[in-house]
Amino acid sequence: MLPLRQFVPSVQQFVVGHRGSSGTAPENTLASVRQGLESGADMIELDVQLTADHEIIVFHDVVLGRTTDGKGRVQAASLSAIQSLDAGSWFSEEYHGEIVPSLRQAIELIRGKAYLNIEIKPPQQDEDYHIRLEKILECIFDTQMEQFTLFGSFHHGALAHLKRQYPILHTAAINVPNDKRLPSEIASEIGCEGFICSIRELTRKRSEDALQNNIYLGVYTVNSSEDLEFALSRKAKAIATNYPGRICGYLKHKYYPI
Ligand code: G3P
Ligand code: MG
């Protein structure tokens, strides 16, 4: 596999499985990662959070209730307590017993098969954010994923911090809703390679600015052929979808040639 730095300029677009294949399996679980890989996604996007005992887990929310049978804040629970929860049944009984994976467990599946996109969620009140960032970095370097991982965040300070420490890391700022700045203005503050926004935010102005300034565009969440057509017309390169199988199929059959 090419390092991300070489892969990105070598392709017109690539497919990112958003929270794995979260349209067909419970988000951010190993089942979702497996389905994302099997469907041919080039990259798997996973959200990460910190547990009370400073472990990095693959989890979207700050509270446990929406996607597990647990309750309370993620940061108040230990890894073992969180891993005793059922993270699958809320989606479908078929996935009863799916666990909340640690980042390491997810990387074991992904390494060598696809790129990883870690979304670093913003800090919570009273959190020492440096601990979370250090633990994420420790995991990525321990597993030799540093050249195969895209770090994304709405919290641009986190990305700037990573880049200051390790300029080789590949980063993409996620547009904060209602932030009117252009990709180049945001990138000049962070030094990020990419800029990610929602479909609604993918304006012609943002698209042209990113292209002119050699910043690649990522867009979420592209689940239909119409959305894909729109994203490609605005020159988005990283296409994040809850249905990577569907979107890979559209692209493979060249319904939307560039
Ligand atoms: O990386 C883009 C996207 O994942 C951001 O939003 O809430 O799905 O994590 P969310
Ligand atoms: Mg995310």
PDB file of all heavy atoms in Angstrom, residues 18-19 45-47 60 119 121 154 174, ligand 2:
ATOM      1  N   HIS A  18     -17.995   5.621   6.205  1.00  0.00           N
ATOM      2  CA  HIS A  18     -18.273   6.511   7.340  1.00  0.00           C
ATOM      3  C   HIS A  18     -18.723   5.688   8.547  1.00  0.00           C
ATOM      4  O   HIS A  18     -19.764   5.045   8.490  1.00  0.00           O
ATOM      5  CB  HIS A  18     -19.371   7.503   6.914  1.00  0.00           C
ATOM      6  CG  HIS A  18     -19.731   8.514   7.935  1.00  0.00           C
ATOM      7  ND1 HIS A  18     -20.999   8.632   8.458  1.00  0.00           N
ATOM      8  CD2 HIS A  18     -18.987   9.471   8.547  1.00  0.00           C
ATOM      9  CE1 HIS A  18     -21.034   9.628   9.318  1.00  0.00           C
ATOM     10  NE2 HIS A  18     -19.825  10.157   9.395  1.00  0.00           N
ATOM     11  N   ARG A  19     -17.918   5.697   9.597  1.00  0.00           N
ATOM     12  CA  ARG A  19     -18.135   4.857  10.789  1.00  0.00           C
ATOM     13  C   ARG A  19     -18.160   3.380  10.371  1.00  0.00           C
ATOM     14  O   ARG A  19     -18.866   2.570  10.965  1.00  0.00           O
ATOM     15  CB  ARG A  19     -19.429   5.241  11.519  1.00  0.00           C
ATOM     16  CG  ARG A  19     -19.569   6.737  11.778  1.00  0.00           C
ATOM     17  CD  ARG A  19     -20.840   7.079  12.527  1.00  0.00           C
ATOM     18  NE  ARG A  19     -21.103   8.524  12.476  1.00  0.00           N
ATOM     19  CZ  ARG A  19     -22.161   9.129  12.979  1.00  0.00           C
ATOM     20  NH1 ARG A  19     -23.065   8.420  13.622  1.00  0.00           N
ATOM     21  NH2 ARG A  19     -22.322  10.427  12.875  1.00  0.00           N
ATOM     22  N   GLU A  45     -13.497   5.465   8.100  1.00  0.00           N
ATOM     23  CA  GLU A  45     -13.561   6.567   9.064  1.00  0.00           C
ATOM     24  C   GLU A  45     -14.101   6.048  10.386  1.00  0.00           C
ATOM     25  O   GLU A  45     -15.127   5.349  10.415  1.00  0.00           O
ATOM     26  CB  GLU A  45     -14.498   7.676   8.539  1.00  0.00           C
ATOM     27  CG  GLU A  45     -14.465   8.948   9.378  1.00  0.00           C
ATOM     28  CD  GLU A  45     -15.621   9.162  10.349  1.00  0.00           C
ATOM     29  OE1 GLU A  45     -16.537   8.311  10.427  1.00  0.00           O
ATOM     30  OE2 GLU A  45     -15.603  10.169  11.067  1.00  0.00           O
ATOM     31  N   LEU A  46     -13.406   6.362  11.471  1.00  0.00           N
ATOM     32  CA  LEU A  46     -13.853   5.948  12.804  1.00  0.00           C
ATOM     33  C   LEU A  46     -13.722   7.131  13.754  1.00  0.00           C
ATOM     34  O   LEU A  46     -12.730   7.871  13.702  1.00  0.00           O
ATOM     35  CB  LEU A  46     -13.000   4.779  13.314  1.00  0.00           C
ATOM     36  CG  LEU A  46     -13.043   3.487  12.479  1.00  0.00           C
ATOM     37  CD1 LEU A  46     -12.013   2.490  12.993  1.00  0.00           C
ATOM     38  CD2 LEU A  46     -14.437   2.862  12.484  1.00  0.00           C
ATOM     39  N   ASP A  47     -14.705   7.286  14.626  1.00  0.00           N
ATOM     40  CA  ASP A  47     -14.651   8.328  15.648  1.00  0.00           C
ATOM     41  C   ASP A  47     -13.990   7.731  16.876  1.00  0.00           C
ATOM     42  O   ASP A  47     -14.190   6.554  17.180  1.00  0.00           O
ATOM     43  CB  ASP A  47     -16.081   8.765  16.003  1.00  0.00           C
ATOM     44  CG  ASP A  47     -16.861   9.163  14.765  1.00  0.00           C
ATOM     45  OD1 ASP A  47     -16.530  10.200  14.175  1.00  0.00           O
ATOM     46  OD2 ASP A  47     -17.787   8.406  14.383  1.00  0.00           O
ATOM     47  N   HIS A  60     -18.690   7.242  18.795  1.00  0.00           N
ATOM     48  CA  HIS A  60     -19.044   8.580  18.295  1.00  0.00           C
ATOM     49  C   HIS A  60     -19.454   9.556  19.392  1.00  0.00           C
ATOM     50  O   HIS A  60     -18.948  10.670  19.483  1.00  0.00           O
ATOM     51  CB  HIS A  60     -20.174   8.453  17.263  1.00  0.00           C
ATOM     52  CG  HIS A  60     -20.553   9.770  16.640  1.00  0.00           C
ATOM     53  ND1 HIS A  60     -21.451  10.637  17.214  1.00  0.00           N
ATOM     54  CD2 HIS A  60     -20.130  10.370  15.504  1.00  0.00           C
ATOM     55  CE1 HIS A  60     -21.567  11.711  16.462  1.00  0.00           C
ATOM     56  NE2 HIS A  60     -20.783  11.579  15.411  1.00  0.00           N
ATOM     57  N   GLU A 119     -11.387  10.315  13.338  1.00  0.00           N
ATOM     58  CA  GLU A 119     -11.968  11.612  13.679  1.00  0.00           C
ATOM     59  C   GLU A 119     -11.817  11.850  15.173  1.00  0.00           C
ATOM     60  O   GLU A 119     -12.378  11.105  15.989  1.00  0.00           O
ATOM     61  CB  GLU A 119     -13.443  11.724  13.282  1.00  0.00           C
ATOM     62  CG  GLU A 119     -13.868  13.178  13.506  1.00  0.00           C
ATOM     63  CD  GLU A 119     -15.347  13.438  13.402  1.00  0.00           C
ATOM     64  OE1 GLU A 119     -16.073  12.685  12.737  1.00  0.00           O
ATOM     65  OE2 GLU A 119     -15.759  14.443  14.022  1.00  0.00           O
ATOM     66  N   LYS A 121     -12.743  13.656  18.226  1.00  0.00           N
ATOM     67  CA  LYS A 121     -13.865  14.473  18.688  1.00  0.00           C
ATOM     68  C   LYS A 121     -13.364  15.595  19.610  1.00  0.00           C
ATOM     69  O   LYS A 121     -12.323  15.445  20.265  1.00  0.00           O
ATOM     70  CB  LYS A 121     -14.872  13.583  19.427  1.00  0.00           C
ATOM     71  CG  LYS A 121     -15.628  12.643  18.481  1.00  0.00           C
ATOM     72  CD  LYS A 121     -16.458  13.441  17.499  1.00  0.00           C
ATOM     73  CE  LYS A 121     -17.327  12.593  16.591  1.00  0.00           C
ATOM     74  NZ  LYS A 121     -17.871  13.399  15.481  1.00  0.00           N
ATOM     75  N   PHE A 154     -13.164  18.494  13.888  1.00  0.00           N
ATOM     76  CA  PHE A 154     -13.800  19.806  13.934  1.00  0.00           C
ATOM     77  C   PHE A 154     -12.953  20.724  14.820  1.00  0.00           C
ATOM     78  O   PHE A 154     -13.085  21.933  14.780  1.00  0.00           O
ATOM     79  CB  PHE A 154     -15.201  19.713  14.561  1.00  0.00           C
ATOM     80  CG  PHE A 154     -16.240  19.066  13.687  1.00  0.00           C
ATOM     81  CD1 PHE A 154     -16.641  17.752  13.889  1.00  0.00           C
ATOM     82  CD2 PHE A 154     -16.846  19.786  12.664  1.00  0.00           C
ATOM     83  CE1 PHE A 154     -17.622  17.171  13.101  1.00  0.00           C
ATOM     84  CE2 PHE A 154     -17.822  19.219  11.864  1.00  0.00           C
ATOM     85  CZ  PHE A 154     -18.216  17.905  12.087  1.00  0.00           C
ATOM     86  N   ILE A 174     -12.200  19.577   9.496  1.00  0.00           N
ATOM     87  CA  ILE A 174     -13.621  19.433   9.185  1.00  0.00           C
ATOM     88  C   ILE A 174     -14.266  20.797   9.430  1.00  0.00           C
ATOM     89  O   ILE A 174     -14.016  21.437  10.464  1.00  0.00           O
ATOM     90  CB  ILE A 174     -14.301  18.354  10.055  1.00  0.00           C
ATOM     91  CG1 ILE A 174     -13.520  17.024   9.971  1.00  0.00           C
ATOM     92  CG2 ILE A 174     -15.751  18.150   9.600  1.00  0.00           C
ATOM     93  CD1 ILE A 174     -14.090  15.917  10.859  1.00  0.00           C
TER      94      ILE A 174
HETATM   95 MG    MG B   2     -17.016  11.096  12.285  1.00  0.00          MG
END
